[in-house]
Amino acid sequence: MTTLIYNHDTCEIGIDSRMTRRGSIVSDDAQKWLTDARGAMWFFSGSPVDIPEVIDIFGVIDGPQKIKAGKSELHFGAVVISNGVVYFCYAVDSSHYIAEVATHSEHFGSGGMSAMCAINLGKGTAESVEFAKTMDCYTGGNVNVFCVKEMKFK
């Protein structure tokens, strides 16, 4: 799983780099983000094999969307930067996916709740993911923080 956090106050995205499979650590150096062919930057929580399908389902994100699911049942959460706007994309249930404009801090993944608690207690983005690493065995490795305003990693 993952810890993925969007800190609305600082306009930063924090994400760990641990990849697990069937309860075992596969890597502590996984890159959990990509830039799609349209230029949108995606930060993911969920199965890596679902990423291309999720990007294809949403297409160009230029506003809020509600999409009826296709044949696949996908479980994911993503923070997406498209045309300078931050969106949350996620599975509501097995039949609907949502893209909404980020107007608040948000979390995804197995360590997300721990990171959000740290944010709510005044910790910074990196500190919140570091805290989640102490609470969630599926969160680990390097902590990556992306500054949305500067469009670069810290």
Side-chain angles (χ1 to χ4, degrees):
M1 288 297 287
T2 294
T3 293
L4 172 58
I5 187 91
Y6 174 67
N7 186 337
H8 190 66
D9 292 340
T10 61
C11 295
E12 293 174 336
I13 299 164
I15 194 164
D16 73 310
S17 59
R18 175 165 288 171
M19 182 180 292
T20 60
R21 194 170 295 119
R22 294 183 303 276
S24 296
I25 298 169
V26 175
S27 172
D28 265 345
D29 196 28
Q31 180 176 313
K32 298 179 179 181
W33 64 89
L34 61 82
T35 301
D36 70 18
R38 300 171 196 99
M41 193 163 189
W42 292 75
F43 295 82
F44 275 98
S45 169
S47 175
V49 299
D50 293 339
I51 293 170
E53 187 174 355
V54 169
I55 290 172
D56 192 49
I57 287 169
F58 280 100
V60 176
I61 300 176
D62 57 5
Q65 299 178 33
K66 183 175 183 182
I67 299 169
K68 185 160 177 53
K71 296 176 185 174
S72 300
E73 185 173 323
L74 304 171
H75 301 281
F76 67 91
V79 178
V80 182
I81 307 166
S82 181
N83 297 318
V85 179
V86 178
Y87 295 91
F88 304 136
C89 298
Y90 55 93
V92 176
D93 53 38
S94 62
S95 62
H96 291 93
Y97 308 135
I98 296 286
E100 63 185 13
V101 176
T103 59
H104 56 278
S105 294
E106 186 60 271
H107 64 88
F108 298 101
S110 58
M113 183 66 76
S114 295
M116 182 61 84
C117 288
I119 292 284
N120 289 338
L121 291 171
K123 300 295 183 190
T125 306
E127 290 175 301
S128 72
V129 179
E130 289 290 349
F131 176 70
K133 287 169 53 175
T134 69
M135 302 300 291
D136 175 43
C137 64
Y138 297 106
T139 297
N142 298 319
V143 173
N144 302 282
V145 176
F146 187 82
C147 180
V148 176
K149 290 178 182 176
E150 297 175 14
M151 287 302 290
K152 67 178 187 178
F153 284 92
K154 290 179 122 184

